[in-house]
Amino acid sequence: MVNFKQFWTKKTLVGLGLGQFLSLLITSTGFSSSELAKRGINAPTSQSFLNYVLLSVVYGSVMLYRRQALKAKWYYYVILGLVDVEANYLVVKAYQYTSITSVMLLDCWSIPSVMLLTYIFLKTKYRYRKIAGVIVCVAGLVMVVFSDVHAGDRSGGSNPRKGDLLVIAGATLYAISNVSEEFLVKNADRVELMSFLGLFGAIISAIQISIVERNELKSIHWTASAAFPFFGFSLAMFLFYSFVPVLLKMSGSTMLNLSLLTSDMWAVVIRIFAYHEKVDWMYFLAFVAVAVGLIIYSGGDKDDDQSLADVADQGTERSKHFDEEAGFDNLNRGNTVGSSKMGDTSRHDCMTSSGGRETIENTSIGKDMQGKKS
């Protein structure tokens, strides 16, 4: 019999709440972009540029104050910045060629992509309960798509094939970005991640703006009604990027992508109460389905302790390789095998990962979660 108390752990509740906060931020960026589009402003890279600048200035200042050595090599962040900038650009660009229904459906490609990448590179193992939660969430989003079709809100687009390929490519890059951020935030430092993502994201965005959006920016007539959604978008994105690493460290990139599925439903709520629009009844059923799927996926973290033991040894070896590659030698202590102190925010996780290695090698898996600090 299912013990429902296991679902309502503090970690579960915080993860669900933070996920919905991030989903609301994404919803607000969508409405900001919509307002800009109504005013004829089509500059997606320029909108993201200010966000990267804010990340670089705020978190870069913290890094300068700390005066700490880099915990990962700088070119990791160059690659991450490029992937992140292009992911944002491709998905926004796709709206010019295909229908919003296709974008909503194909954007779900990021979820199986994240699960595959975390399984291959982070050695994350998903139990049947978590897979069931993903299926329920995706089913809820499919209901939203069918609701759009039922309501006649779909348009074909000028070049559906090109648009669909752009969405798939963008969703894949989102998955790569999320998994890379999860790895770095768990093995390096959140402030370092945000500051360098902002720095290189701003540089790459500036280069791209000078090439593809220079004329668009010149044609914009800046008024208060145009500036407010533009800067509002940047502020919402800054908050989103700031809290994403927290959820990634707590619940992983799959949970992040599942949580963002509800952004479409929050948009419906805003349309109902702010714009007094009528929506199809399937939206409400979809919202319930996604909410239930999130609870199924994130609940019962205590039961996953056993599965953590199965991958502790692999996680230790990954940490050791990353430490040697990124120059973590000054953070290693004594004879610790493959474990590092990755900043205050990741100390406990690293100790847990490394502490169970010898126990796994010499005792049964059922006892290894006690761990020991080698």
Side-chain angles (χ1 to χ4, degrees), residues 14-223:
V14 173
L16 288 172
L18 183 57
Q20 292 314 296
F21 175 66
L22 294 175
S23 182
L24 282 170
L25 288 174
I26 285 296
T27 303
S28 65
T29 62
F31 277 93
S32 297
S33 297
S34 177
E35 290 297 320
L36 290 172
K38 290 178 182 178
R39 290 167 173 77
I41 300 175
N42 182 25
T45 308
S46 301
Q47 292 174 218
S48 300
F49 173 72
L50 184 56
N51 163 54
Y52 291 121
V53 171
L54 288 173
L55 288 173
S56 178
V57 171
V58 174
Y59 290 98
S61 299
V62 176
M63 277 202 66
L64 291 175
Y65 175 78
R66 290 181 176 180
R67 297 182 179 179
Q68 64 183 27
L70 293 183
K71 298 181 179 180
K73 290 190 175 181
W74 62 271
Y75 53 78
Y76 291 157
Y77 298 113
V78 175
I79 298 173
L80 177 59
L82 178 62
V83 169
D84 196 74
V85 169
E86 298 311 320
N88 288 327
Y89 178 80
L90 288 175
V91 173
V92 174
K93 192 72 173 177
Y95 283 96
Q96 299 180 18
Y97 301 104
T98 190
S99 66
I100 187 173
T101 302
S102 296
V103 173
M104 290 169 57
L105 182 60
L106 294 174
D107 196 39
C108 291
W109 174 250
S110 63
I111 296 174
S113 298
V114 162
M115 296 184 73
L116 178 63
L117 290 172
T118 53
Y119 177 79
I120 294 175
F121 296 104
L122 303 185
K123 306 302 180 184
T124 302
K125 293 187 177 180
Y126 295 96
R127 290 190 170 191
Y128 290 117
R129 173 178 54 76
K130 290 187 176 293
I131 296 175
V134 171
I135 293 174
V136 173
C137 283
V138 174
L141 191 67
V142 171
M143 290 182 191
V144 176
V145 174
F146 279 114
S147 178
D148 282 339
V149 175
H150 180 258
D153 292 334
R154 182 175 61 171
S155 66
S158 61
N159 193 338
R161 288 187 178 181
K162 182 177 181 179
D164 292 349
L165 288 175
L166 288 175
V167 177
I168 293 174
T172 303
L173 291 180
Y174 273 137
I176 295 173
S177 176
N178 292 156
V179 174
S180 300
E181 287 185 36
E182 180 181 349
F183 177 78
L184 289 170
V185 79
K186 289 181 176 179
N187 293 278
D189 181 74
R190 183 175 72 92
V191 174
E192 178 180 303
L193 169 63
M194 289 294 97
S195 59
F196 277 93
L197 175 60
L199 174 62
F200 293 116
I203 294 173
I204 295 169
S205 295
I207 296 173
Q208 187 160 306
I209 290 169
S210 65
I211 297 174
V212 300
E213 294 182 5
R214 180 175 52 189
N215 295 330
E216 180 68 29
L217 288 178
K218 289 180 179 179
S219 64
I220 296 176
H221 178 62
W222 291 104
T223 61

Side-chain angles (χ1 to χ4, degrees), residues 200-315:
F200 293 116
I203 294 173
I204 295 169
S205 295
I207 296 173
Q208 187 160 306
I209 290 169
S210 65
I211 297 174
V212 300
E213 294 182 5
R214 180 175 52 189
N215 295 330
E216 180 68 29
L217 288 178
K218 289 180 179 179
S219 64
I220 296 176
H221 178 62
W222 291 104
T223 61
S225 59
F228 181 77
F230 192 91
F231 290 105
F233 175 92
S234 299
L235 179 60
M237 287 297 289
F238 171 75
L239 292 174
F240 176 81
Y241 274 69
S242 296
F243 284 99
V244 158
V246 179
L247 184 60
L248 287 176
K249 183 172 179 60
M250 182 183 304
S251 304
S253 47
T254 302
M255 179 62 180
L256 169 65
N257 283 269
L258 291 175
S259 297
L260 297 184
L261 291 181
T262 60
S263 60
D264 295 310
M265 271 66 84
W266 287 122
V268 170
V269 173
I270 294 175
R271 285 165 54 188
I272 293 174
F273 292 99
Y275 297 94
H276 305 289
E277 296 182 11
K278 292 183 178 180
V279 297
D280 195 79
W281 61 270
M282 291 185 70
Y283 272 109
F284 302 101
L285 185 60
F287 190 92
V288 173
V290 173
V292 170
L294 284 172
I295 294 174
I296 293 174
Y297 180 88
S298 61
D301 290 313
K302 292 181 179 179
D303 287 344
D304 293 331
D305 288 344
Q306 184 67 33
S307 63
L308 292 176
D310 298 336
V311 297
D313 193 28
Q314 295 93 324

